[in-house]
Amino acid sequence: MHPCPGPRTAPDHARGPMSTGQRDPRLALLVDSIVRLSRGELSSRIEPSSARDEVDAVITGVNLLAEELEQVYEQFEKRVESRTAMLRQAHLDMMKMAMSDGLTGLANRVALMDAIEEALSLAENGDSPPALLLLDLDSFKNVNDRFGHDAGDRVLKEVASRLNQVVRDTDMVARLGGDEFAILLPAASLDIAMQVARRALEVLAERIELDNLNVHSRASIGVRVGTSGQNAEELLLDADTAMYAAKREGRSIIKVFEPVMLYSRQLRSQMATELRGAIASDELVLHYQPVVDLASHRILGVEVLVRWQHPVRGLIPPDTFIPLAEEIGVIHDLDRWVMTSSLRQLGQWRNDLHLDEDFQLRVNLSALELKQLDLVDFIRGLLREFDLPARCLVVEITETAIVTRGEVEMYSLLSLKQLGVGIEIDDFGTGYSSISYLRELPVSMVKVDRSLLAELDTRPGQHEFVAAILQLIRAAGLEAVFEGIETREQAQTLRDMGCSSGQGFYFSRPMPGDDMAALLTTTHHLRAEEHLEGARSTPSR
Ligand code: C2E
Ligand code: MG
Ligand code: MG
């Protein structure tokens, strides 16, 4: 504002108007004042004269107008100031929102990438390079599936706060989405990075208690220390590759990036592409392994085992591609193809080979299939199409999967049982066996994992251990089947323990459908002569 230019002592014009004919000097002052006001000099005022005539009235009016304008202007300026402050805050909030994860309040991917770029550029100027840890929670999906998304969100928040506890203020914890987290140590050696990774595993291993829920939320961690010339994307990809390797190796594992990991990842992604086409181009083949009665060696049925006849790599075993099929979502088509083809095969055999009415086909089913609401209808439709009684079919589901006990899974199991299809827990003894669940689940058979049998003759006390497991299964009202019987001694021991059925290389390796048809045509008993010998040497059981 300009200072008031009005004179302190009364000027000429203030003494009164001019005589007639003379020009009134107040008019010039008025014009001058109006020009100044129009220029924004709102503090401009004119001293009225003592005449108190019309010109003075105009002067007073102009002064009042100037005053009014000055006040309005001041208010206006204050308002502009407060709006600008609000805008600035909104901008800051938006920036924060764009850079942070809404659920946990941690930095998000954008913020992490910015921070990595900054740390890398500092390293270019002589600082130590940054280290990046990528964490993926193991079995977080189970938390969501079993307890709902609210519980899942609370677990993620708790994980975020625990991870914040293991880092310093200068480090950054970020959530990259889902159950994936990252820790950026702006300048750190591999030693330090490993210390932080181990601490992270420790804090995550502690049980998370939410109301009446107890959740374990372990993680797999990939570690990568930056190298010169790397950009943020490359560092993240390397850490991700290491994390991926950790995940594949098991739970609660830390893996440091090695270049060879990139190669195996590429190979895997190529395999994934090929596997997607394998079902459509008829590259999957089925082999069958007999399941026999241990007392008579009579063939009770077969387990169907899928293989991939790869045009270049030859016959690939299922352990190599089933986990991949589950990961990339192909397992659904694969399991349904196996179910359809093997039931069709069973229908043909029943027509052509005059099999026993009770001859059973065992089909492995991924736990993911139990989540499909149409699974039971699909199986019912196939049994009808191939004219098969439901008791001919047994589905094998691995122990780890069945224990999850989601609502849809339970619905599928109960409906299958109601339909008359047998349900068997596969690989029993390898997962998280809780004895009580054996009695709660709608299963009728338990297939004991071959690892328990492998140590039967070598490990002290294993004999008693296997016998106890067998008793346990029986006490739960279930039937036990042993897999991986490789020797005559194992077969006899199991028989003497009172186990009724089993399978393994001792009796027969898995074989293609045609070979199995030939076998079923010529014989109903496997290793019959050895069985007779065995029976002679152990006359009573
Ligand atoms: P599994 O269901 O436990 O199948 C038994 C595995 O043990 C088969 O391996 C079989 O060849 C092998 N085996 C049988 N007898 C012996 C023995 O005396 N000694 C030894 N060392 N091994 C024996 P395979 O065919 O490689 O199958 C591996 C796993 O792949 C299966 O384990 C099953 O979990 C999965 N799988 C196979 N076919 C399918 C399928 O169609 N769908 C799904 N979801 N999984 C399948
Ligand atoms: Mg099986
Ligand atoms: Mg098994």
Side-chain angles (χ1 to χ4, degrees), residues 113-310:
M113 296 312 270
D114 279 0
I116 298 178
E117 285 295 0
E118 198 187 324
L120 283 169
S121 68
L122 287 174
E124 289 295 317
N125 299 327
D127 274 20
S128 301
L132 184 64
L133 280 63
L134 227 60
L135 298 88
D136 191 279
L137 302 187
D138 299 326
S139 347
F140 177 71
K141 236 180 119 313
N142 288 346
V143 177
N144 267 343
D145 289 351
R146 278 189 74 179
F147 306 119
H149 286 268
D150 275 355
D153 284 355
R154 282 187 289 158
V155 169
L156 290 174
K157 281 189 203 166
E158 178 61 24
V159 167
S161 113
R162 290 189 185 185
L163 291 180
N164 264 327
Q165 290 162 19
V166 303
V167 298
R168 296 185 188 169
D169 285 348
T170 44
D171 305 330
M172 176 184 266
V173 181
R175 177 168 171 240
L176 302 183
D179 56 356
E180 213 173 289
F181 294 83
I183 296 177
L184 175 70
L185 311 170
S189 62
L190 181 58
D191 259 5
I192 305 246
M194 289 301 285
Q195 275 173 34
V196 174
R198 279 192 287 267
R199 276 212 306 273
L201 279 194
E202 264 167 42
V203 293
L204 292 185
E206 282 165 35
R207 197 171 51 183
I208 297 178
E209 286 176 37
L210 304 167
D211 303 336
N212 48 1
L213 302 179
N214 282 331
V215 179
H216 285 276
S217 195
R218 302 176 205 286
S220 305
I221 305 185
V223 178
R224 173 59 157 151
V225 178
T227 55
S228 69
Q230 242 184 347
N231 65 29
E233 288 291 345
E234 286 161 349
L235 185 65
L236 184 68
L237 181 72
D238 286 357
D240 188 56
T241 303
M243 190 267 288
Y244 194 75
K247 215 151 186 74
R248 291 200 59 206
E249 217 161 279
R251 287 149 178 269
S252 289
I253 282 199
I254 305 168
K255 277 270 166 191
V256 180
F257 174 79
E258 291 165 32
V260 71
M261 289 174 179
L262 273 179
Y263 174 71
S264 60
R265 190 169 180 168
Q266 264 167 10
L267 209 68
R268 232 174 125 71
S269 88
Q270 186 190 338
M271 207 166 152
T273 315
E274 292 173 350
L275 184 56
R276 284 201 173 91
I279 304 172
S281 43
D282 265 351
E283 285 174 17
L284 296 183
V285 289
L286 297 181
H287 283 195
Y288 299 85
Q289 185 180 35
V291 175
V292 302
D293 176 87
L294 291 179
S296 65
H297 288 198
R298 188 177 172 78
I299 302 175
L300 300 173
V302 289
E303 175 175 11
V304 56
L305 295 157
V306 68
R307 277 99 182 79
W308 180 5
Q309 187 66 59
H310 191 280

Side-chain angles (χ1 to χ4, degrees), residues 467-481:
I469 287 184
L470 195 58
Q471 264 198 327
L472 179 82
I473 295 170
R474 283 218 214 91
L478 304 171
E479 203 185 301
V481 184

Side-chain angles (χ1 to χ4, degrees), residues 462-472 474 497:
Q462 189 69 4
H463 197 284
E464 290 73 15
F465 187 60
V466 170
I469 287 184
L470 195 58
Q471 264 198 327
L472 179 82
R474 283 218 214 91
M497 281 179 186

Side-chain angles (χ1 to χ4, degrees), residues 289 303 306-307 318-319 335 364 426-427 450 483 486 505:
Q289 185 180 35
E303 175 175 11
V306 68
R307 277 99 182 79
D319 282 340
D335 273 354
N364 293 285
D426 203 352
D427 301 344
R450 63 174 175 270
E483 64 173 22
E486 294 187 349
F505 294 167

Side-chain angles (χ1 to χ4, degrees), residues 291 302-304 360-363 394 396 424 445 447 481:
V291 175
V302 289
E303 175 175 11
V304 56
Q360 276 182 324
L361 175 78
R362 296 177 133 82
V363 184
V394 177
E396 297 192 0
E424 182 172 83
M445 277 161 280
K447 193 183 270 184
V481 184

Side-chain angles (χ1 to χ4, degrees), residues 22 73-74 80 130 231 257 278 346 369 376 403 452 455 464:
Q22 247 187 319
Y73 190 81
E74 260 170 32
V80 168
N231 65 29
F257 174 79
L346 179 64
E369 267 304 283
V376 183
V403 175
L452 274 93
E455 294 177 319
E464 290 73 15

Side-chain angles (χ1 to χ4, degrees), residues 365-376:
L365 211 55
S366 159
L368 296 174
E369 267 304 283
L370 290 183
K371 285 193 205 301
Q372 303 293 327
L373 282 168
D374 67 333
L375 175 74
V376 183

